[in-house]
Amino acid sequence: MVISVSLVLLVGIVMFLMIRSGKLKGGPALVAILFGFLLASTDMAPDIQEFLNSLSRTIADIDL
C-alpha cells in the first residue's frame, strides 16, 4: 500500500509539472487520469500491480 501511494504521488507530481511546463495540456491529462481509473477496474489491475511491485523490489535491491 505504501508503494502504491508513493507511486501515485510521484506520478501526480510529474503530471503536474508537465502540465505546468506546457508539455502536457489539461485535456490529455484528464484522459490519462480517466484511463488510469478505468484500467484499475479491469482484470489487468492485479498484473499491473504485481509488475510495479517487482519493479520496485528490483530498484530497491540495486546497491550503489
Side-chain angles (χ1 to χ4, degrees):
M1 180 69 174
V2 173
I3 293 174
S4 307
V5 173
S6 61
L7 187 60
V8 167
L9 288 175
L10 177 65
V11 172
I13 290 170
V14 169
M15 190 178 298
F16 172 77
L17 292 174
M18 289 180 73
I19 291 170
R20 186 157 173 119
S21 69
K23 296 186 187 290
L24 182 66
K25 301 295 181 197
L30 180 62
V31 170
I33 291 168
L34 291 174
F35 178 70
F37 279 114
L38 293 174
L39 190 61
S41 65
T42 65
D43 292 335
M44 289 182 60
D47 295 329
I48 294 169
Q49 186 63 46
E50 181 57 35
F51 170 73
L52 292 174
N53 289 342
S54 66
L55 183 64
S56 67
R57 283 191 298 269
T58 301
I59 292 172
D61 290 341
I62 295 174
D63 291 329
L64 297 176

